[in-house]
Amino acid sequence: MQINTRESYEVLVVDIEGRLDTNTSGYGYDEMVRIAKGGNKKSLVNLKGLEYVSSAGLRVLLTAAKLVKASGGQFKFYEPTDLVKQALEISGFNSLLSVYGSEGEAIKSF
Amino acid sequence: MTPSERSTIPTTSVTPRRRRNYDDPPNANALPTLNLIIRNDQREIASVMERFDDFATRNGMSSEVRAVFDIAFDEMLSNIIYYAYPDADTHAIEIRVDFDGQRVIAVIDDDGVPFNPFAHPAQNTDRPLAERDVGGCGIHLVRTMLDDVSYQRHLDRNIITLVKRVHV
């Protein structure tokens, strides 16, 4: 899996690609925590390339979202694939994270 | 059975049971099967997924079915590896996957402490996270994403069966 960041106007876009599971959650956790602590107030997390997420991966997303919130910032997640959307709904994490259908919707919500 | 009765059993009819190996030459009559044995080591999970992905691709399964089983293996195997063994020994976990064209059936067999992961009540996702059993989240995912899940304790083994119907 890969996590990359890019600046887009005044927001930071985080592209997560691949699979976020037990095997990759260590790397995912380190990267997401680093980004959460980076001081960006507005971050968009692009889930388009995230193939699937297991409970270990869901915890990474939630921990990062909580961390950034604690420092006055916000993570907005957008465009989850069907399986990721399903996992977010089943786990109830969709009510704990801000998830949007598209990048545009996510940006507008800031 | 008396010793004399026992001696009348023709030993020649007893063929040793042999599991079909992943690397065996393909048999046109046999349904596709994948057999794996791993150690109780977290790092083994990635190799299970890799072998399963290959099996799924060769048998024309959709990427959704592949991903659902990868999630299920991740959840169930990490659960076993973390919680099933109070000792520090190496244990073997056996995995068998069968595909009959309509259903994918995965059986995970371990010699850990008796534990029925599906005995937990279904997680109430309406409750705030702080009140929730975070460890139960993965099992809840598996229970919901698969068509059928079951647990059996057989002698000293835990046997988990996961079934998903495929649409071809």
Side-chain angles (χ1 to χ4, degrees), chain B residues 16-97:
Chain B
R17 270 184 68 201
R18 183 174 172 271
R19 285 186 147 189
R20 186 172 170 270
N21 194 290
Y22 175 80
D23 297 315
D24 280 356
N27 173 349
N29 300 316
L31 291 170
T33 297
L34 173 68
N35 283 295
L36 302 170
I37 298 176
I38 61 162
R39 282 170 295 117
N40 54 323
D41 181 331
Q42 206 67 44
R43 287 167 296 186
E44 295 269 78
I45 298 175
S47 71
V48 172
M49 291 177 173
E50 209 173 293
R51 298 289 290 273
F52 177 77
D53 286 352
D54 182 45
F55 176 78
T57 306
R58 281 189 293 117
N59 290 291
M61 292 176 206
S62 68
S63 58
E64 191 218 335
V65 169
R66 206 179 63 208
V68 164
F69 274 97
D70 280 341
I71 294 171
F73 286 131
D74 192 38
E75 304 296 353
M76 303 321 295
L77 294 174
S78 53
N79 208 46
I80 293 166
I81 293 166
Y82 273 125
Y83 303 114
Y85 307 109
D87 56 45
D89 298 346
T90 299
H91 294 264
I93 303 168
E94 294 182 32
I95 298 143
R96 180 190 169 103
V97 186

Coordinates of all heavy atoms in Angstrom, one line a residue, chain B residues 16-97:
Chain B
P16 N -3.3 -44.2 2.6 CA -3.1 -43.0 3.5 C -3.8 -41.8 2.9 O -3.9 -41.6 1.7 CB -1.6 -42.8 3.4 CG -1.1 -43.6 2.2 CD -2.1 -44.6 2.0
R17 N -4.5 -41.1 3.8 CA -5.2 -39.8 3.4 C -4.1 -38.8 2.9 O -3.1 -38.6 3.6 CB -6.0 -39.2 4.5 CG -7.4 -39.8 4.6 CD -8.1 -39.1 5.7 NE -8.3 -37.7 5.4 CZ -8.6 -36.8 6.3 NH1 -8.6 -37.1 7.6 NH2 -8.8 -35.5 5.9
R18 N -4.4 -38.3 1.8 CA -3.5 -37.3 1.3 C -4.2 -36.1 0.8 O -5.2 -36.2 0.0 CB -2.6 -37.8 0.2 CG -1.6 -36.9 -0.4 CD -0.7 -37.6 -1.4 NE 0.2 -36.7 -2.0 CZ -0.2 -36.0 -3.1 NH1 -1.3 -36.1 -3.7 NH2 0.7 -35.1 -3.7
R19 N -3.9 -35.0 1.3 CA -4.6 -33.8 0.9 C -4.0 -33.4 -0.5 O -2.8 -33.5 -0.7 CB -4.3 -32.6 1.8 CG -5.1 -32.8 3.1 CD -5.0 -31.6 4.0 NE -6.2 -31.3 4.7 CZ -6.4 -30.3 5.4 NH1 -5.5 -29.3 5.4 NH2 -7.6 -30.1 6.0
R20 N -4.9 -32.8 -1.3 CA -4.4 -32.4 -2.6 C -3.6 -31.1 -2.4 O -3.9 -30.2 -1.7 CB -5.6 -32.1 -3.5 CG -5.1 -31.7 -4.9 CD -6.3 -31.6 -5.9 NE -5.8 -31.0 -7.1 CZ -5.8 -29.8 -7.4 NH1 -6.2 -28.9 -6.5 NH2 -5.3 -29.3 -8.5
N21 N -2.4 -31.2 -3.0 CA -1.5 -30.1 -2.8 C -1.6 -29.0 -3.8 O -2.0 -29.3 -5.0 CB 0.0 -30.7 -2.9 CG 1.0 -29.7 -2.3 OD1 1.2 -28.7 -2.9 ND2 1.5 -30.0 -1.2
Y22 N -1.4 -27.8 -3.4 CA -1.5 -26.6 -4.3 C -0.7 -26.9 -5.6 O -1.0 -26.4 -6.7 CB -1.0 -25.4 -3.6 CG -0.9 -24.2 -4.3 CD1 -2.0 -23.4 -4.6 CD2 0.3 -23.7 -4.8 CE1 -1.9 -22.2 -5.3 CE2 0.5 -22.6 -5.5 CZ -0.7 -21.8 -5.8 OH -0.6 -20.6 -6.5
D23 N 0.5 -27.5 -5.4 CA 1.4 -27.6 -6.6 C 1.2 -28.9 -7.4 O 1.9 -29.1 -8.3 CB 2.9 -27.6 -6.1 CG 3.2 -26.2 -5.4 OD1 2.8 -25.2 -6.0 OD2 3.7 -26.2 -4.3
D24 N 0.2 -29.7 -7.0 CA -0.1 -30.9 -7.8 C -0.5 -30.5 -9.2 O -1.1 -29.5 -9.4 CB -1.3 -31.7 -7.1 CG -0.8 -32.5 -5.9 OD1 0.4 -32.5 -5.7 OD2 -1.6 -33.1 -5.3
P25 N -0.2 -31.5 -10.1 CA -0.7 -31.2 -11.5 C -2.2 -31.1 -11.5 O -2.9 -31.9 -10.7 CB -0.2 -32.4 -12.3 CG 0.2 -33.4 -11.3 CD 0.5 -32.7 -10.0
P26 N -2.8 -30.3 -12.3 CA -4.3 -30.1 -12.3 C -5.0 -31.4 -12.7 O -4.6 -32.0 -13.6 CB -4.5 -29.0 -13.2 CG -3.3 -28.8 -14.0 CD -2.2 -29.4 -13.2
N27 N -6.0 -31.7 -12.0 CA -6.9 -32.9 -12.3 C -8.2 -32.3 -12.8 O -8.8 -31.6 -12.2 CB -7.1 -33.7 -11.1 CG -8.1 -34.8 -11.2 OD1 -8.8 -34.9 -12.3 ND2 -8.1 -35.7 -10.3
A28 N -8.5 -32.7 -14.1 CA -9.7 -32.1 -14.7 C -11.0 -32.4 -14.0 O -11.9 -31.6 -14.0 CB -9.8 -32.6 -16.1
N29 N -11.0 -33.5 -13.2 CA -12.3 -33.8 -12.5 C -12.4 -33.2 -11.1 O -13.4 -33.2 -10.5 CB -12.3 -35.3 -12.3 CG -12.3 -36.0 -13.7 OD1 -13.0 -35.6 -14.6 ND2 -11.6 -37.1 -13.8
A30 N -11.2 -32.8 -10.6 CA -11.3 -32.3 -9.2 C -11.7 -30.8 -9.2 O -11.3 -30.0 -10.0 CB -9.9 -32.4 -8.6
L31 N -12.4 -30.5 -8.1 CA -12.8 -29.1 -7.9 C -11.6 -28.4 -7.4 O -10.8 -29.0 -6.7 CB -14.0 -29.0 -6.9 CG -15.3 -29.5 -7.5 CD1 -16.3 -29.6 -6.3 CD2 -15.8 -28.6 -8.6
P32 N -11.4 -27.1 -7.7 CA -10.3 -26.4 -7.3 C -10.2 -26.2 -5.7 O -11.2 -25.9 -5.1 CB -10.4 -25.0 -7.9 CG -11.7 -24.9 -8.5 CD -12.3 -26.3 -8.6
T33 N -9.1 -26.6 -5.2 CA -8.9 -26.6 -3.8 C -7.5 -25.9 -3.5 O -6.6 -26.1 -4.2 CB -8.9 -28.0 -3.2 OG1 -10.1 -28.6 -3.4 CG2 -8.6 -28.0 -1.7
L34 N -7.5 -25.2 -2.4 CA -6.2 -24.6 -2.0 C -6.0 -25.0 -0.5 O -6.8 -24.8 0.3 CB -6.3 -23.1 -2.1 CG -5.2 -22.2 -1.5 CD1 -3.9 -22.4 -2.3 CD2 -5.5 -20.7 -1.5
N35 N -4.8 -25.6 -0.3 CA -4.5 -26.0 1.1 C -3.2 -25.3 1.6 O -2.2 -25.3 0.9 CB -4.2 -27.5 1.2 CG -5.5 -28.3 1.1 OD1 -6.3 -28.3 2.1 ND2 -5.7 -29.1 0.1
L36 N -3.3 -24.7 2.7 CA -2.1 -24.0 3.2 C -2.0 -24.3 4.7 O -3.0 -24.5 5.4 CB -2.3 -22.5 3.1 CG -2.6 -21.9 1.7 CD1 -3.0 -20.4 1.9 CD2 -1.4 -22.0 0.9
I37 N -0.7 -24.4 5.1 CA -0.5 -24.5 6.6 C 0.5 -23.4 6.9 O 1.5 -23.2 6.3 CB 0.2 -25.9 6.9 CG1 -0.8 -27.0 6.5 CG2 0.5 -26.0 8.4 CD1 -0.3 -28.4 6.7
I38 N 0.1 -22.6 7.9 CA 1.0 -21.5 8.3 C 1.3 -21.6 9.8 O 0.7 -22.3 10.6 CB 0.3 -20.1 8.1 CG1 -1.0 -20.0 8.9 CG2 0.1 -19.9 6.6 CD1 -1.4 -18.5 9.0
R39 N 2.4 -20.9 10.2 CA 2.7 -20.8 11.6 C 1.9 -19.7 12.3 O 1.4 -18.8 11.6 CB 4.2 -20.5 11.8 CG 5.1 -21.6 11.5 CD 6.6 -21.2 11.4 NE 6.8 -20.3 10.3 CZ 7.2 -19.1 10.3 NH1 7.4 -18.5 11.5 NH2 7.4 -18.4 9.2
N40 N 1.8 -19.7 13.6 CA 1.1 -18.6 14.3 C 2.0 -17.4 14.4 O 2.4 -17.0 15.4 CB 0.7 -19.1 15.7 CG 1.8 -19.6 16.5 OD1 2.7 -20.3 16.0 ND2 1.8 -19.4 17.8
D41 N 2.2 -16.8 13.2 CA 3.1 -15.6 13.1 C 2.3 -14.6 12.2 O 1.9 -15.0 11.1 CB 4.4 -16.0 12.4 CG 5.4 -14.9 12.3 OD1 4.9 -13.7 12.1 OD2 6.6 -15.1 12.3
Q42 N 2.2 -13.4 12.7 CA 1.4 -12.4 12.0 C 1.9 -12.2 10.6 O 1.1 -11.9 9.7 CB 1.6 -11.1 12.8 CG 0.5 -10.1 12.6 CD -0.8 -10.5 13.2 OE1 -0.9 -11.1 14.3 NE2 -1.9 -10.4 12.5
R43 N 3.2 -12.4 10.4 CA 3.7 -12.2 9.0 C 3.2 -13.2 8.0 O 3.3 -13.0 6.8 CB 5.2 -12.2 9.1 CG 5.8 -10.9 9.7 CD 7.3 -11.1 10.0 NE 7.5 -12.2 11.0 CZ 8.6 -12.5 11.6 NH1 9.7 -11.8 11.2 NH2 8.7 -13.4 12.5
E44 N 2.7 -14.3 8.5 CA 2.2 -15.3 7.6 C 0.9 -14.9 6.9 O 0.6 -15.5 5.8 CB 1.9 -16.6 8.4 CG 3.2 -17.2 9.0 CD 3.8 -18.2 8.0 OE1 4.5 -17.8 7.1 OE2 3.6 -19.4 8.2
I45 N 0.2 -14.0 7.4 CA -1.1 -13.6 6.9 C -1.0 -13.1 5.5 O -1.8 -13.4 4.6 CB -1.8 -12.6 7.8 CG1 -2.1 -13.2 9.2 CG2 -3.2 -12.1 7.2 CD1 -2.7 -12.3 10.2
A46 N 0.0 -12.3 5.2 CA 0.3 -11.7 3.9 C 0.5 -12.8 2.9 O 0.0 -12.7 1.7 CB 1.4 -10.8 3.9
S47 N 1.1 -13.9 3.3 CA 1.4 -15.0 2.3 C 0.1 -15.8 2.0 O -0.1 -16.3 0.9 CB 2.5 -15.9 2.8 OG 2.1 -16.7 3.9
V48 N -0.8 -15.8 3.0 CA -2.1 -16.5 2.8 C -2.9 -15.7 1.8 O -3.4 -16.2 0.8 CB -2.9 -16.6 4.1 CG1 -4.3 -17.1 3.8 CG2 -2.2 -17.5 5.1
M49 N -2.9 -14.4 1.9 CA -3.6 -13.5 1.0 C -3.0 -13.7 -0.4 O -3.8 -13.7 -1.4 CB -3.5 -12.1 1.4 CG -4.3 -11.8 2.7 SD -4.0 -10.1 3.1 CE -5.1 -10.0 4.5
E50 N -1.7 -13.7 -0.5 CA -1.1 -13.8 -1.8 C -1.5 -15.1 -2.5 O -1.8 -15.1 -3.7 CB 0.5 -13.8 -1.6 CG 1.3 -13.2 -2.7 CD 2.7 -13.1 -2.2 OE1 3.0 -12.3 -1.3 OE2 3.5 -13.9 -2.8
R51 N -1.4 -16.2 -1.7 CA -1.8 -17.5 -2.3 C -3.3 -17.5 -2.7 O -3.7 -18.1 -3.7 CB -1.4 -18.6 -1.3 CG 0.0 -18.8 -1.0 CD 0.9 -19.3 -2.2 NE 0.6 -20.6 -2.5 CZ 1.2 -21.7 -1.9 NH1 2.2 -21.5 -1.0 NH2 0.9 -22.9 -2.3
F52 N -4.1 -17.0 -1.8 CA -5.5 -16.9 -2.1 C -5.8 -16.1 -3.3 O -6.6 -16.4 -4.2 CB -6.4 -16.5 -0.9 CG -7.8 -16.4 -1.2 CD1 -8.6 -17.5 -1.3 CD2 -8.4 -15.2 -1.6 CE1 -9.9 -17.5 -1.7 CE2 -9.7 -15.1 -2.0 CZ -10.5 -16.3 -2.0
D53 N -5.2 -14.9 -3.4 CA -5.4 -14.0 -4.6 C -5.1 -14.8 -5.9 O -5.8 -14.6 -6.9 CB -4.5 -12.8 -4.5 CG -5.0 -11.8 -3.4 OD1 -6.1 -12.1 -2.9 OD2 -4.3 -10.8 -3.1
D54 N -4.0 -15.5 -5.8 CA -3.6 -16.3 -7.0 C -4.7 -17.3 -7.4 O -5.1 -17.5 -8.5 CB -2.2 -16.9 -6.7 CG -1.7 -17.7 -7.9 OD1 -1.8 -17.2 -9.0 OD2 -1.2 -18.8 -7.7
F55 N -5.1 -18.0 -6.3 CA -6.1 -19.1 -6.5 C -7.4 -18.4 -7.0 O -8.1 -19.0 -7.9 CB -6.4 -19.7 -5.1 CG -7.5 -20.7 -5.0 CD1 -7.3 -22.0 -5.5 CD2 -8.8 -20.4 -4.5 CE1 -8.3 -22.9 -5.4 CE2 -9.8 -21.3 -4.4 CZ -9.6 -22.6 -4.9
A56 N -7.8 -17.3 -6.5 CA -9.0 -16.6 -6.9 C -8.9 -16.2 -8.4 O -9.9 -16.3 -9.1 CB -9.3 -15.4 -6.0
T57 N -7.8 -15.6 -8.7 CA -7.6 -15.2 -10.1 C -7.6 -16.3 -11.1 O -8.3 -16.3 -12.1 CB -6.3 -14.4 -10.2 OG1 -6.2 -13.4 -9.2 CG2 -6.1 -13.8 -11.6
R58 N -7.0 -17.4 -10.7 CA -6.9 -18.6 -11.6 C -8.3 -19.2 -11.8 O -8.6 -19.8 -12.8 CB -5.9 -19.6 -11.1 CG -4.5 -19.3 -11.4 CD -3.6 -20.4 -11.1 NE -3.5 -20.7 -9.6 CZ -3.9 -21.8 -9.0 NH1 -4.3 -22.8 -9.8 NH2 -3.8 -21.9 -7.7
N59 N -9.2 -19.0 -10.8 CA -10.5 -19.6 -10.9 C -11.6 -18.6 -11.3 O -12.8 -18.8 -11.1 CB -10.8 -20.3 -9.6 CG -10.0 -21.6 -9.4 OD1 -10.2 -22.5 -10.2 ND2 -9.1 -21.5 -8.5
G60 N -11.1 -17.4 -11.8 CA -12.1 -16.4 -12.3 C -13.0 -15.8 -11.3 O -14.1 -15.3 -11.7
M61 N -12.6 -15.7 -10.0 CA -13.4 -15.0 -9.0 C -13.3 -13.5 -9.2 O -12.3 -13.0 -9.7 CB -13.0 -15.4 -7.6 CG -13.2 -16.8 -7.3 SD -12.6 -17.2 -5.6 CE -12.3 -19.0 -5.8
S62 N -14.4 -12.8 -8.8 CA -14.4 -11.4 -9.0 C -13.4 -10.7 -7.9 O -13.1 -11.4 -6.9 CB -15.8 -10.8 -8.7 OG -16.1 -11.0 -7.4
S63 N -13.0 -9.5 -8.2 CA -12.1 -8.8 -7.3 C -12.8 -8.6 -5.9 O -12.2 -8.5 -4.9 CB -11.6 -7.5 -7.9 OG -12.7 -6.7 -8.2
E64 N -14.2 -8.5 -6.0 CA -14.9 -8.3 -4.7 C -14.8 -9.6 -3.8 O -14.5 -9.5 -2.6 CB -16.4 -8.0 -5.0 CG -17.1 -7.6 -3.7 CD -18.5 -8.1 -3.6 OE1 -19.1 -8.4 -4.6 OE2 -19.0 -8.2 -2.5
V65 N -15.0 -10.7 -4.4 CA -14.9 -12.0 -3.7 C -13.5 -12.2 -3.1 O -13.3 -12.5 -2.0 CB -15.3 -13.2 -4.6 CG1 -14.9 -14.5 -3.9 CG2 -16.8 -13.2 -4.9
R66 N -12.5 -11.8 -3.9 CA -11.1 -11.9 -3.5 C -10.9 -11.0 -2.3 O -10.3 -11.5 -1.3 CB -10.2 -11.5 -4.7 CG -8.9 -12.1 -4.7 CD -8.1 -11.6 -5.9 NE -8.0 -10.1 -5.9 CZ -7.9 -9.3 -7.0 NH1 -8.0 -9.9 -8.2 NH2 -7.7 -8.0 -6.9
A67 N -11.3 -9.8 -2.4 CA -11.1 -8.9 -1.3 C -11.8 -9.2 0.0 O -11.3 -9.1 1.1 CB -11.5 -7.4 -1.8
V68 N -13.1 -9.8 -0.2 CA -13.8 -10.2 1.0 C -13.1 -11.3 1.8 O -13.0 -11.2 3.0 CB -15.3 -10.6 0.6 CG1 -16.0 -11.3 1.7 CG2 -16.1 -9.3 0.2
F69 N -12.6 -12.2 1.0 CA -11.8 -13.3 1.7 C -10.5 -12.8 2.3 O -10.1 -13.3 3.3 CB -11.6 -14.5 0.8 CG -12.8 -15.5 0.8 CD1 -13.8 -15.4 -0.1 CD2 -13.0 -16.4 1.9 CE1 -14.9 -16.2 -0.1 CE2 -14.1 -17.2 1.9 CZ -15.1 -17.1 1.0
D70 N -9.9 -11.9 1.6 CA -8.7 -11.3 2.1 C -9.0 -10.6 3.5 O -8.2 -10.8 4.4 CB -8.0 -10.3 1.2 CG -7.2 -11.0 0.1 OD1 -6.9 -12.2 0.3 OD2 -7.0 -10.4 -1.0
I71 N -10.1 -9.9 3.5 CA -10.5 -9.2 4.8 C -10.7 -10.3 5.8 O -10.3 -10.2 7.0 CB -11.7 -8.3 4.6 CG1 -11.4 -7.2 3.7 CG2 -12.3 -7.9 5.9 CD1 -12.6 -6.3 3.2
A72 N -11.5 -11.4 5.4 CA -11.8 -12.4 6.4 C -10.6 -13.1 6.9 O -10.5 -13.4 8.1 CB -12.8 -13.4 5.7
F73 N -9.7 -13.4 6.0 CA -8.4 -14.1 6.5 C -7.7 -13.1 7.4 O -7.1 -13.6 8.4 CB -7.5 -14.5 5.3 CG -8.0 -15.6 4.5 CD1 -8.1 -15.6 3.1 CD2 -8.4 -16.8 5.2 CE1 -8.6 -16.7 2.4 CE2 -8.9 -17.9 4.5 CZ -8.9 -17.9 3.1
D74 N -7.6 -11.9 7.1 CA -6.9 -10.9 7.9 C -7.5 -10.9 9.3 O -6.8 -11.0 10.3 CB -7.0 -9.5 7.3 CG -6.1 -8.5 8.0 OD1 -4.9 -8.9 8.3 OD2 -6.4 -7.3 8.1
E75 N -8.9 -10.8 9.4 CA -9.5 -10.7 10.7 C -9.4 -12.0 11.5 O -9.0 -12.0 12.6 CB -11.0 -10.4 10.5 CG -11.3 -9.1 9.7 CD -10.9 -7.8 10.4 OE1 -10.4 -7.9 11.5 OE2 -10.9 -6.8 9.7
M76 N -9.7 -13.1 10.8 CA -9.8 -14.4 11.6 C -8.4 -14.9 12.0 O -8.2 -15.3 13.1 CB -10.5 -15.5 10.7 CG -11.9 -15.2 10.3 SD -13.0 -14.3 11.5 CE -13.2 -15.4 12.8
L77 N -7.4 -14.8 11.1 CA -6.1 -15.2 11.4 C -5.4 -14.4 12.4 O -4.7 -14.9 13.3 CB -5.2 -15.4 10.1 CG -5.7 -16.4 9.1 CD1 -4.9 -16.3 7.8 CD2 -5.6 -17.8 9.7
S78 N -5.6 -13.1 12.3 CA -4.9 -12.2 13.3 C -5.5 -12.4 14.7 O -4.9 -12.4 15.7 CB -4.9 -10.7 12.9 OG -6.2 -10.3 12.6
N79 N -6.8 -12.7 14.7 CA -7.5 -13.0 15.9 C -7.0 -14.3 16.6 O -6.7 -14.4 17.8 CB -9.0 -13.3 15.6 CG -9.9 -12.9 16.7 OD1 -9.7 -11.9 17.4 ND2 -10.8 -13.8 17.0
I80 N -6.8 -15.3 15.8 CA -6.2 -16.6 16.2 C -4.8 -16.4 16.7 O -4.4 -16.8 17.8 CB -6.3 -17.7 15.1 CG1 -7.7 -18.1 14.8 CG2 -5.4 -18.9 15.5 CD1 -7.9 -18.9 13.5
I81 N -4.0 -15.7 15.9 CA -2.6 -15.6 16.3 C -2.4 -14.8 17.5 O -1.6 -15.1 18.4 CB -1.8 -15.0 15.1 CG1 -1.8 -16.0 13.9 CG2 -0.4 -14.6 15.5 CD1 -1.4 -15.4 12.5
Y82 N -3.2 -13.7 17.7 CA -3.1 -12.9 18.9 C -3.6 -13.6 20.2 O -3.1 -13.5 21.3 CB -3.9 -11.6 18.8 CG -3.1 -10.5 18.1 CD1 -3.6 -9.8 17.0 CD2 -1.9 -10.1 18.6 CE1 -2.9 -8.8 16.4 CE2 -1.2 -9.0 18.0 CZ -1.7 -8.4 16.9 OH -1.0 -7.4 16.3
Y83 N -4.8 -14.3 20.0 CA -5.5 -14.7 21.3 C -5.5 -16.2 21.5 O -5.9 -16.6 22.6 CB -6.9 -14.2 21.2 CG -7.0 -12.7 21.1 CD1 -7.5 -12.1 19.9 CD2 -6.5 -11.9 22.1 CE1 -7.6 -10.7 19.8 CE2 -6.6 -10.5 22.0 CZ -7.1 -9.9 20.8 OH -7.2 -8.6 20.7
A84 N -5.3 -17.1 20.5 CA -5.5 -18.5 20.7 C -4.4 -19.2 21.5 O -4.7 -20.3 22.0 CB -5.8 -19.2 19.4
Y85 N -3.2 -18.6 21.6 CA -2.1 -19.4 22.2 C -1.6 -18.8 23.4 O -0.8 -17.8 23.3 CB -1.0 -19.6 21.1 CG -1.6 -20.2 19.8 CD1 -1.7 -19.4 18.7 CD2 -2.0 -21.5 19.8 CE1 -2.2 -19.9 17.5 CE2 -2.5 -22.0 18.6 CZ -2.6 -21.2 17.5 OH -3.1 -21.8 16.3
P86 N -1.8 -19.3 24.6 CA -1.3 -18.8 25.8 C 0.2 -19.1 25.9 O 0.9 -18.4 26.7 CB -2.1 -19.4 26.9 CG -2.8 -20.5 26.3 CD -2.8 -20.4 24.8
D87 N 0.7 -20.1 25.2 CA 2.1 -20.4 25.3 C 2.9 -19.6 24.2 O 2.4 -18.9 23.4 CB 2.3 -21.9 25.1 CG 1.7 -22.4 23.8 OD1 1.9 -21.7 22.7 OD2 1.1 -23.5 23.8
A88 N 4.2 -19.8 24.2 CA 5.1 -19.1 23.2 C 5.5 -20.1 22.1 O 6.5 -19.8 21.4 CB 6.3 -18.5 23.9
D89 N 4.8 -21.2 22.0 CA 5.3 -22.3 21.1 C 4.8 -21.9 19.6 O 3.9 -21.1 19.4 CB 4.7 -23.6 21.4 CG 5.1 -24.1 22.8 OD1 6.1 -23.5 23.3 OD2 4.5 -25.0 23.3
T90 N 5.4 -22.6 18.7 CA 4.9 -22.5 17.3 C 3.8 -23.5 17.1 O 3.8 -24.6 17.5 CB 6.1 -22.9 16.4 OG1 7.2 -22.0 16.6 CG2 5.7 -22.8 14.9
H91 N 2.7 -23.0 16.5 CA 1.5 -23.8 16.2 C 1.2 -23.7 14.7 O 1.5 -22.7 14.1 CB 0.3 -23.3 17.0 CG 0.5 -23.4 18.5 ND1 -0.1 -24.5 19.2 CD2 1.1 -22.6 19.4 CE1 0.2 -24.3 20.4 NE2 0.9 -23.2 20.6
A92 N 0.6 -24.8 14.3 CA 0.2 -24.8 12.8 C -1.2 -24.4 12.7 O -2.1 -24.9 13.5 CB 0.5 -26.2 12.3
I93 N -1.5 -23.6 11.8 CA -2.9 -23.2 11.5 C -3.2 -23.7 10.0 O -2.4 -23.4 9.1 CB -3.1 -21.7 11.5 CG1 -2.8 -21.2 12.9 CG2 -4.6 -21.3 11.2 CD1 -2.7 -19.6 13.0
E94 N -4.2 -24.5 9.9 CA -4.5 -25.1 8.5 C -5.6 -24.3 7.9 O -6.6 -24.0 8.5 CB -4.9 -26.5 8.6 CG -3.7 -27.4 9.1 CD -4.0 -28.9 9.2 OE1 -4.8 -29.3 8.4 OE2 -3.5 -29.5 10.1
I95 N -5.4 -24.1 6.6 CA -6.5 -23.3 5.8 C -6.8 -24.1 4.6 O -5.9 -24.6 3.9 CB -5.9 -21.9 5.4 CG1 -5.7 -21.1 6.7 CG2 -6.9 -21.2 4.5 CD1 -4.4 -20.2 6.6
R96 N -8.0 -24.3 4.4 CA -8.5 -25.0 3.1 C -9.5 -24.2 2.5 O -10.5 -23.8 3.1 CB -9.0 -26.4 3.5 CG -9.4 -27.2 2.3 CD -10.2 -28.5 2.7 NE -10.8 -29.1 1.5 CZ -10.4 -30.1 0.9 NH1 -9.3 -30.7 1.3 NH2 -11.0 -30.6 -0.2
V97 N -9.4 -24.0 1.2 CA -10.4 -23.3 0.4 C -10.9 -24.2 -0.7 O -10.1 -24.7 -1.5 CB -9.8 -22.0 -0.2 CG1 -10.9 -21.1 -0.8 CG2 -9.1 -21.1 0.9

